[in-house]
Amino acid sequence: MTARTAARPPADSRLTADSRPTDAGPGPRGLRRALGNHRLLVLVVSVVVTVAVVAGSTAVGTSGVTVADAMRILWLRVAGGTIEPEFVQSYAIVADLRLPRALLALAAGAALSVAGAVMQGLLRNPLVSPFTLGVSPAAAFGASLAILLGGGGVASSNPLVILSALACAGVVTMLVLGLASARKMAVATLLLLGIAVTQLFEALTAGLQYIANENTLQAIVRWTLGSVNDASWTEVRVMGAVVVVLLPLLLWFAKDMNAIAFAGDDAARSLGVNVTVVRVGLILVSVLLASVAVSLCGVIGFVGLVGPHIARLIIGANHQYLLPMSALSGGVLLVAADTIGRTVVAPSVVPVGIVVAMLGAPVFIYLIMTRRASK
């Protein structure tokens, strides 16, 4: 009896063992929960910063609209309300001109950045983006062709422009991925193929510019430089709807993307992931995001490359958090670039694609240098 009693752990010792993770620090589950809560907090703060950047962008200009006025107009636009007579002019400037422009830049930047994050994860290469794979130049060619056939008077939100951009981008994507799969190309070779396709479609777009008349040429050049000038609420609704519908779809497959990106194809298959279907399907979804953005705003190269890297530095590589963070970082980057472009040499406007390249290139060089230094 004495031996059995001595060998049996007392009740107090069991309570002490259960409480050890609390005393010594969180266990694995508690650590994951704490990290998840931290990332959610980062996302919430990022959403607040994004709203502030959009409000600040709508307040920048020569009309004397303050940030408080811009926030009030945002609220009136969403919730409705009475507009005082002395506030009508400010409301019209923000609600009809600046706010659609900022929201289109936000949605297009989010689409391009999310598309880049998906491609980088599924192809396991940090240099992949809609531009480097030739998707954006192909979509720009499709949109330019539609504009040329329409005589230069076709709006960017016209279904013909969007469908033409989608068709060209989809054909190029299937061609590039099909060749890569048939020839069993490495990702580096895939990037070289994308560069060749990019050069081809940039030459084709330049050919369209050569044969276009003055009005059509001006409209096509807008796509080659990237711009959110003359943004309309129709364009905002189209771009916003695409992002709102497709981002949750991508998040649904975030765990599959994690398995492919972190463990590789063979390990992902052992976990039950249909790698081929997931990779092709999600890349086509990302092509849809990039193509609509290009059809509405033109070729904006660096957002899809830099946006995911900024998000990855802030919140990590887990696609459950990386994708929404990429949407916010890409949107803020494009809104900030557009704000700089329309104020730095006012009243002239620098196309947003030029400003993004000027801002994105140094940032990307810095990321590369700090990454190598850390290694």
Side-chain angles (χ1 to χ4, degrees), residues 141-333:
F141 169 76
S144 300
L145 182 62
I147 294 170
L148 180 66
L149 295 177
V154 182
S156 59
S157 57
N158 190 296
L160 178 62
V161 176
I162 297 176
L163 291 176
S164 181
L166 289 176
C168 288
V171 169
V172 167
T173 302
M174 297 306 296
L175 176 64
V176 171
L177 294 181
L179 288 175
S181 177
R183 298 289 182 178
K184 296 182 179 180
M185 296 179 181
V187 177
T189 309
L190 179 63
L191 287 174
L192 293 176
L193 182 61
I195 292 173
V197 171
T198 297
Q199 296 298 320
L200 172 63
F201 278 96
E202 286 182 346
L204 291 175
T205 304
L208 295 181
Q209 296 176 12
Y210 183 76
I211 64 175
N213 58 39
E214 184 176 351
N215 292 333
T216 306
L217 176 62
Q218 184 178 4
I220 293 176
V221 168
R222 175 182 182 270
W223 263 257
T224 61
L225 298 179
S227 175
V228 290
N229 294 343
D230 303 322
S232 66
W233 282 107
T234 301
E235 294 172 343
V236 173
R237 293 187 188 98
V238 171
M239 191 71 257
V242 170
V243 174
V244 169
V245 171
L246 296 184
L247 181 56
L249 176 62
L250 293 171
L251 286 173
W252 181 265
F253 291 94
K255 292 184 178 179
D256 294 340
M257 281 190 276
N258 286 338
I260 296 173
F262 301 147
D265 291 3
D266 293 337
R269 288 190 182 96
S270 68
L271 295 173
V273 178
N274 191 333
V275 174
T276 302
V277 173
V278 170
R279 176 174 284 132
V280 174
L282 295 187
I283 286 180
L284 288 178
V285 172
S286 63
V287 167
L288 178 59
L289 280 169
S291 301
V292 175
V294 170
S295 69
L296 295 176
C297 303
V299 179
I300 304 173
F302 262 99
V303 175
L305 184 63
V306 177
H309 284 281
I310 296 174
R312 203 173 284 113
L313 286 176
I314 295 174
I315 209 165
N318 186 338
H319 286 82
Q320 290 178 317
Y321 303 98
L322 176 63
L323 294 182
M325 192 67 217
S326 296
L328 295 174
S329 62
V332 168
L333 179 61

